[in-house]
Amino acid sequence: MINVLEIEKLTVSLPKNADRLYAIEDINLIVNRNEIVCVVGESGSGKSVTAFTVMGLHDKRALKMTSGQILLEGEDITNASPAVFRARRGEKMAMIFQEPMTALNPVLKVGDQISEMLKIHTSMTASERKARVIRAMNDVDLPDPEMMYKSYPHQLSGGQRQRIMIAMALVMEPGLLIADEPTTALDVTTQANILRLIKEIQRRRGMGVLFITHDFGVVADIADRVVVMQEGKIVEQGTVNEVLKNPSHEYTKMLIGSVPSMKPPKRDQVSGSPALITKQINKTFGGLGFFGKGRKVHAAKSVSFDIRAGETTGIVGESGSGKSTVARCVIRLIDPNSGKILINNIDVAKLKESKLRPLRNNFQIVFQDPYRSLNPRRTVGQSIIEGPTNFGIPLAEATQRAKDLMNIVGLQTDSLERFPHQFSGGQRQRICIARALAMEPQILIADEAVSALDVSVQAQVLELLDDVKKKFDLAMLFITHDLRVAAQVCDNIVVMREGEIVERGSTYEIYSKPKHSYTKALLDAAPGHKFFSG
């Protein structure tokens, strides 16, 4: 039987002055029908370059194939023309991208975008194309396909947009599906649904799937075989049980060892008076509209919790549950409609900015995307010292504080003169942590601060957050949709659903004996929760 995809000794070179000669080197990889092959590795390992090269979507000015062969259903497409690649994409191979909002055209209805694939590759009439698109939408479990057909991308949720991308990829029923980190930014229940959907469609249609991911929980749930890549080379491959249960390469062992366990350790409860108290926080959005009848969303409903110095409280829940809204209310990036936010017994919930500004050094936030959080035109040293100098700290003292903090977060002090783009994602996140700590806050908020990082870098940043919490006696509010991460870093857990707290308690109690059905559903949906439960 002919393999769906066969890559033989494929090498792709990097531009001059890159950190290594080749993006990928001597890659040998096979994808059979009726199987899912997961490619795992850290950022820069060559996973996505491999996928984009197969699709003919790599940047040919910077990345050049120097040797090797790519066979698609037996056809050699290694040096195929752009016209051949266009003909094969959609018909014989298709790709699901990581971020559907950037992959979809924002000014075209999603139904028309799926239909475009049929218009290019078939001679169907408009009515036949629409019928096929509606059927594809039904196949991916989208609600009310007739209405969805006429919707624009911004009118859909993240999970719905990802389903549209899957429908677009599968509408021509290709033999090969390439999925490049399609669930990274999704909450656990949506992620579980997307993974189940991909697996069901793959088995039903007998496709071969090349699944790119850095999440070993996803690998445990979906893979038949696993390929591990490091710095452009394949260092190990085998069945999912062989690789996960008995890894042979040290790099694979390190990656698997970095995956947080779903079993939280028992922790002593922190004593003392709370550093942060929230009482009955309410926040609504919308409600006005053009005629005063717009849709009103209750993002936070009577949310109350407190955090002590040296304690980490995590807020978990699906997208839209109100996690980030609460965090932004606490730090006053948005104003709550009602309720109290007590910091040092001062209610900051209703303070005007002129009175709030002198208190802002007491609470700082680390965002999900460090690259967007840092000014690309300023050195990281300038970004770190800006806050302290604005609060009256002399420049020399602020500079010395920045140097000390760089050592604390594990970076060289001479890095202060570099710009954000000269660092890796994990290093940029460390810089954002240093910038937050430069204000010597009492409360640190981490809003999905590690969700986009590789497992090994994630482990390092989590360890760093735990270290600085103890060193500076911080009260930490940790927002995440990754329940494995929450299990390892949080003393207490607050579970939110549709703006309300449905359950709270110590992390150990919540994970071992969840009471609310929603909490149980979240824990069950965590990828790889059975494999990484101990």
Side-chain angles (χ1 to χ4, degrees):
M1 181 192 272
I2 297 175
N3 299 314
V4 174
L5 175 67
E6 188 169 349
I7 300 174
E8 296 179 353
K9 294 188 175 298
L10 183 64
T11 297
V12 176
S13 65
L14 284 167
K16 292 181 179 179
N17 302 320
D19 60 351
R20 63 177 190 257
L21 290 175
Y22 303 108
I24 53 176
E25 186 176 359
D26 286 332
I27 295 296
N28 291 291
L29 190 153
I30 290 175
V31 180
N32 300 303
R33 293 191 182 279
N34 295 299
E35 79 166 350
I36 298 176
V37 177
C38 279
V39 182
V40 296
E42 296 173 292
S43 295
S45 63
K47 307 186 303 293
S48 292
V49 171
T50 302
F52 277 77
T53 302
V54 170
M55 292 292 296
L57 296 174
H58 61 292
D59 184 352
K60 297 173 182 62
R61 296 167 298 179
L63 303 171
K64 299 186 184 299
M65 283 189 282
T66 59
S67 64
Q69 190 176 42
I70 303 172
L71 301 176
L72 178 66
E73 295 183 346
E75 178 187 4
D76 189 347
I77 60 170
T78 312
N79 298 305
S81 66
V84 170
F85 268 112
R86 281 195 298 271
R88 300 297 175 266
R89 287 196 290 260
E91 184 178 359
K92 287 194 173 184
M93 59 180 175
M95 190 165 185
I96 306 169
F97 297 94
Q98 180 173 349
E99 179 43 69
M101 197 60 187
T102 57
L104 293 169
N105 190 326
V107 299
L108 286 181
K109 295 172 182 176
V110 295
D112 291 335
Q113 295 188 56
I114 301 173
S115 181
E116 185 179 20
M117 186 77 70
L118 298 170
K119 189 174 183 180
I120 292 171
H121 292 283
T122 73
S123 57
M124 290 181 176
T125 65
S127 59
E128 289 173 335
R129 290 197 301 270
K130 183 174 181 179
R132 173 75 76 85
V133 172
I134 295 296
R135 190 165 77 242
M137 287 182 168
N138 272 317
D139 285 345
V140 297
D141 297 334
L142 280 165
D144 197 352
E146 289 283 353
M147 182 197 74
M148 196 73 67
Y149 188 100
K150 303 173 184 177
S151 300
Y152 290 93
H154 72 273
Q155 295 175 304
L156 309 180
S157 69
Q160 288 172 335
R161 286 194 292 265
Q162 198 59 281
R163 287 169 188 266
I164 290 293
M165 288 294 299
I166 296 172
M168 188 183 301
L170 299 180
V171 71
M172 289 293 298
E173 300 187 358
L176 173 67
L177 176 66
I178 299 177
D180 187 15
E181 301 274 13
T183 61
T184 297
L186 302 177
D187 58 62
V188 287
T189 50
T190 305
Q191 184 181 57
N193 289 334
I194 294 296
L195 292 176
R196 174 189 55 77
L197 180 64
I198 290 174
K199 200 160 189 174
E200 282 181 1
I201 294 174
Q202 177 261 332
R203 294 285 156 85
R204 192 164 69 235
R205 298 189 179 184
M207 293 186 305
V209 177
L210 186 66
F211 198 103
I212 312 295
T213 184
H214 65 254
D215 190 333
F216 273 88
V218 170
V219 173
D221 281 353
I222 201 172
D224 295 306
R225 287 192 299 114
V226 183
V227 174
V228 184
M229 294 187 69
Q230 180 188 22
E231 296 183 350
K233 297 179 180 179
I234 293 177
V235 297
E236 184 169 357
Q237 57 181 309
T239 68
V240 64
N241 285 331
E242 288 171 349
V243 174
L244 293 188
K245 293 183 178 179
N246 190 29
S248 60
H249 197 277
E250 289 303 315
Y251 179 70
T252 312
K253 294 176 183 177
M254 182 276 292
L255 289 178
I256 295 174
S258 299
V259 178
S261 168
M262 278 291 288
K263 186 176 181 180
K266 286 187 176 181
R267 293 184 176 89
D268 295 330
Q269 289 297 301
V270 177
S271 58
S273 58
L276 168 69
I277 301 173
T278 69
K279 292 183 177 179
Q280 301 293 308
I281 294 296
N282 289 282
K283 179 63 182 177
T284 59
F285 294 101
L288 295 176
F290 191 75
F291 295 105
K293 296 181 180 179
R295 178 170 173 259
K296 183 179 288 189
V297 176
H298 292 272
K301 305 176 188 176
S302 301
V303 174
S304 301
F305 60 87
D306 54 61
I307 312 175
R308 292 165 175 77
E311 184 177 61
T312 300
T313 291
I315 302 182
V316 300
E318 296 172 295
S319 296
S321 62
K323 307 186 300 294
S324 292
T325 296
V326 170
R328 283 160 170 73
C329 284
V330 168
I331 204 167
R332 282 296 306 277
L333 291 179
I334 57 176
D335 298 328
N337 296 111
S338 62
K340 293 183 177 182
I341 303 168
L342 299 175
I343 298 174
N344 289 335
N345 293 319
I346 299 173
D347 186 2
V348 301
K350 293 296 182 181
L351 285 183
K352 294 182 179 179
E353 183 58 35
S354 59
K355 293 185 177 180
L356 179 64
R357 189 178 181 277
L359 304 174
R360 281 199 177 276
N361 62 317
N362 290 320
F363 43 96
Q364 293 292 300
I365 188 167
V366 180
F367 293 100
Q368 178 175 353
D369 187 345
Y371 196 70
R372 292 174 62 188
S373 302
L374 295 167
N375 189 330
R377 296 185 177 185
R378 309 192 75 181
T379 66
V380 298
Q382 290 172 326
S383 292
I384 293 172
I385 68 173
E386 180 182 18
T389 54
N390 284 344
F391 274 78
I393 302 297
L395 179 60
E397 184 181 340
T399 302
Q400 185 57 51
R401 186 183 293 183
K403 291 179 180 178
D404 293 341
L405 286 167
M406 289 296 274
N407 285 323
I408 289 172
V409 300
L411 295 173
Q412 299 295 320
T413 55
D414 56 12
S415 299
L416 290 169
E417 300 303 317
R418 294 162 62 187
F419 290 87
H421 73 274
Q422 295 175 293
F423 295 89
S424 69
Q427 289 172 327
R428 285 196 292 264
Q429 198 62 287
R430 289 170 181 268
I431 291 164
C432 287
I433 293 170
R435 182 179 62 175
L437 295 176
M439 300 300 295
E440 297 187 343
Q442 295 173 298
I443 299 161
L444 182 65
I445 299 172
D447 188 6
E448 299 282 9
V450 297
S451 63
L453 302 178
D454 299 318
V455 287
S456 57
V457 178
Q458 184 184 78
Q460 295 166 13
V461 173
L462 291 174
E463 184 178 356
L464 172 63
L465 285 171
D466 196 50
D467 287 344
V468 298
K469 179 188 74 172
K470 295 172 182 174
K471 183 178 180 66
F472 296 97
D473 201 28
L474 295 171
M476 190 180 299
L477 180 61
F478 197 92
I479 311 297
T480 185
H481 66 253
D482 191 329
L483 295 172
R484 294 199 303 269
V485 168
Q488 297 306 308
V489 302
C490 297
D491 299 291
N492 300 299
I493 290 290
V494 172
V495 184
M496 291 190 66
R497 181 187 187 188
E498 296 179 352
E500 294 183 281
I501 294 176
V502 297
E503 189 167 358
R504 76 183 85 196
S506 75
T507 306
Y508 186 83
E509 291 173 353
I510 294 288
Y511 277 64
S512 57
K513 295 180 181 179
K515 297 176 182 176
H516 198 280
S517 58
Y518 178 71
T519 309
K520 295 176 183 177
L522 284 180
L523 293 171
D524 287 342
H529 74 280
K530 293 179 181 177
F531 186 87
F532 295 105
S533 60

